């Protein structure tokens, strides 16, 4: 057993785990945050995407010990209290979710995408970057619409802050 410590959603956490424990299981089982989903167990579905040190990572492809001392953000860490993150709000407003299983991974992927591309994000780029996230309910149209709307809103917020 190894004790893994990290900053998870802004809070220092620590727990003993077997060395082979995947980050997704550490988050769900050792820390009790179940927003990050386990979908395919083969890193193809994207339901387990979290941010590690500011970058989107499929948490089923990373050992918990590899995230030791890292800053990890899950879908639970995006909202500011009762105020949803702009991407979360856009998914709700634009019906970018159906059953909700893929939603946490889609949202975390979208946040990373928007942070990297900013106002230059377009539909072709969104669709290309979502190739690692599977949704069997929506046909992606509303997900793409939600991501583009959130990108516009976040760009406007950034401009207003400057």
């Amino acid at each position: 057993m190894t004790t893994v410590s990290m900053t998870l959603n802004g809070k220092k956490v620590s727990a003993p785990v077997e060395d082979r424990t995947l980050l997704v299981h550490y988050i769900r089982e050792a820390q009790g945050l179940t927003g990050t989903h386990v979908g395919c167990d083969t890193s193809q579905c994207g339901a387990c995407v979290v941010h590690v040190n500011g970058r989107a990572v499929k948490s089923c492809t990373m050992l918990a010990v590899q995230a030791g001392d890292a800053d990890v953000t899950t879908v639970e860490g995006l909202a500011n209290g009762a105020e949803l993150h702009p991407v979360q709000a856009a998914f709700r407003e634009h019906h970018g979710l159906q059953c909700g299983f893929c939603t946490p991974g889609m949202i975390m992927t979208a946040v990373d995408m928007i942070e990297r591309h900013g106002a230059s994000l377009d539909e072709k780029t969104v669709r290309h970057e979502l190739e690692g996230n599977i949704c069997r309910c929506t046909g992606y149209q509303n997900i793409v619409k939600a991501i583009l709307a959130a990108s516009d809103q976040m760009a406007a917020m950034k401009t207003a802050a400057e």
Side-chain angles (χ1 to χ4, degrees), residues 4-79:
V4 176
S5 301
M6 65 182 65
T7 302
L8 183 59
N9 297 331
K11 179 180 156 191
K12 293 278 188 192
V13 298
S14 186
V17 295
E18 291 185 31
D19 292 339
R20 64 185 177 166
T21 302
L22 295 173
L23 179 57
V24 67
H25 295 298
Y26 178 87
I27 291 166
R28 291 180 59 82
E29 296 160 17
Q31 299 304 325
L33 298 175
T34 58
T36 303
H37 293 160
V38 179
C40 63
D41 282 332
T42 59
S43 76
Q44 295 182 29
C45 75
C48 68
V49 174
V50 299
H51 293 182
V52 177
N53 294 329
R55 298 195 60 173
V57 172
K58 290 182 179 180
S59 60
C60 73
T61 65
M62 184 175 197
L63 296 171
V65 296
Q66 291 175 293
D69 298 323
D71 183 15
V72 178
T73 304
T74 69
V75 71
E76 292 97 336
L78 290 180

Side-chain angles (χ1 to χ4, degrees), residues 88-109:
Q88 292 171 310
F91 266 66
R92 183 175 66 187
E93 181 181 338
H94 295 277
H95 309 288
L97 47 95
Q98 292 292 311
C99 79
F101 192 81
C102 71
T103 303
M106 290 283 190
I107 287 173
M108 297 306 290
T109 298

